[in-house]
Amino acid sequence: MSFAQSSIIEPASGRPADACVIFLHGQGGSGYDFEPLFHALALPAGSNVRFVLPGAPMRQLECRQGARASAWYDAAPGENAGGHAQQQMVDAVHQVEMRIESALAEGIDASRIILGGFGQGADIAAQTALGYRKGLGGLMMLSTALGTMPSNTHDANRHLLITMHHGRQDPVVGEASARQRADAFTRMGYSVDYHAHAMGNEFCADELSQLRAWLVTRLIRTRLVA
């Protein structure tokens, strides 16, 4: 099953992109939901970063008692994906890999491609990034749904930098569980930058500021001033 229509934010500079952020929304959302977030980052003038915000397919979800909603896979937050949900995760990873290949074909170096997501979108981003065959620029996991831990890892991304953000008052997935997931990545040998915020299952100004600084460090050419 293919993605729904993607939202794409081209560099405000008007020049061709030399970096790319591919960011996946959570269950029930759409790529368009995150346009305001990435516009609000206000990256330095002259930066050439493209944001690709794919949309998940509409599905009839067992985890929602048969209701239809956009979802990368059919599982509730914190639930391991098994059976048909596991295959849906595999299909979603393949689709993200196609977006990476498209960026590479345009001449963007793999080290300047960052994957990220919110909720179960963060889980798909992690599955893709840690198993990809070329070294990527980083992984952003926001309010992760804490699904199945990645098992298909690749040495090319053994030292991938991960930033994780979660709300202390998140009613969907408790912050303690998110911290445990960060610790699990650390035990696997990854460098994890973990932040807890005074918020629920959402965004806040501190999170936005920290994400901007993290992205500027990894994607903005040194000649630019942040």
Side-chain angles (χ1 to χ4, degrees):
M1 184 176 290
S2 62
F3 282 176
Q5 186 174 359
S6 299
S7 170
I8 299 177
I9 304 173
E10 294 290 356
S13 66
R15 293 194 292 269
D18 62 18
C20 182
V21 174
I22 303 171
F23 189 90
L24 284 68
H25 64 79
Q27 188 179 103
S30 78
Y32 296 96
D33 294 344
F34 289 88
E35 286 185 352
L37 171 70
F38 290 109
H39 282 299
L41 286 174
L43 294 179
S47 58
N48 303 313
V49 181
R50 173 187 295 136
F51 295 94
V52 179
L53 314 175
M58 292 293 295
R59 307 180 188 275
Q60 188 170 351
L61 302 175
E62 293 179 5
C63 69
R64 290 194 176 193
Q65 295 74 51
R68 285 182 60 80
S70 60
W72 305 110
Y73 58 92
D74 185 359
E79 180 179 87
N80 286 332
H84 70 289
Q86 184 63 46
Q87 183 58 50
Q88 290 166 352
M89 292 188 77
V90 171
D91 293 342
V93 166
H94 177 65
Q95 291 286 339
V96 178
E97 289 176 341
M98 289 175 60
R99 297 303 195 277
I100 297 173
E101 295 297 322
S102 178
L104 293 173
E106 291 186 33
I108 298 175
D109 191 88
S111 66
R112 293 179 57 73
I113 299 173
I114 285 178
L115 301 190
F118 182 92
Q120 65 171 214
D123 294 339
I124 296 298
Q127 295 278 350
T128 308
L130 300 187
Y132 197 66
R133 67 186 185 280
K134 294 183 180 180
L136 299 174
L139 171 64
M140 303 187 300
M141 301 184 70
L142 313 184
S143 300
T144 176
L146 302 179
T148 304
M149 279 291 289
S151 58
N152 182 29
T153 60
H154 195 288
D155 284 346
N157 282 292
R158 173 54 57 191
H159 302 293
L160 186 72
L161 299 174
I162 302 173
T163 186
M164 294 182 68
H165 296 257
H166 210 88
R168 296 190 186 95
Q169 292 82 41
D170 192 326
V172 179
V173 174
E175 193 266 323
S177 297
R179 191 177 294 274
Q180 289 172 3
R181 175 57 55 92
D183 291 342
F185 281 122
T186 300
R187 290 193 296 272
M188 291 172 68
Y190 296 101
S191 175
V192 181
D193 176 39
Y194 181 84
H195 301 272
H197 303 279
M199 64 180 188
N201 191 248
E202 55 191 330
F203 299 101
C204 68
D206 284 346
E207 180 182 21
L208 184 67
S209 175
Q210 290 166 1
L211 286 173
R212 181 186 188 277
W214 191 83
L215 285 170
V216 166
T217 299
R218 280 148 190 82
L219 296 181
I220 307 306
R221 301 296 191 185
T222 54
R223 70 176 182 273
L224 299 175
V225 178

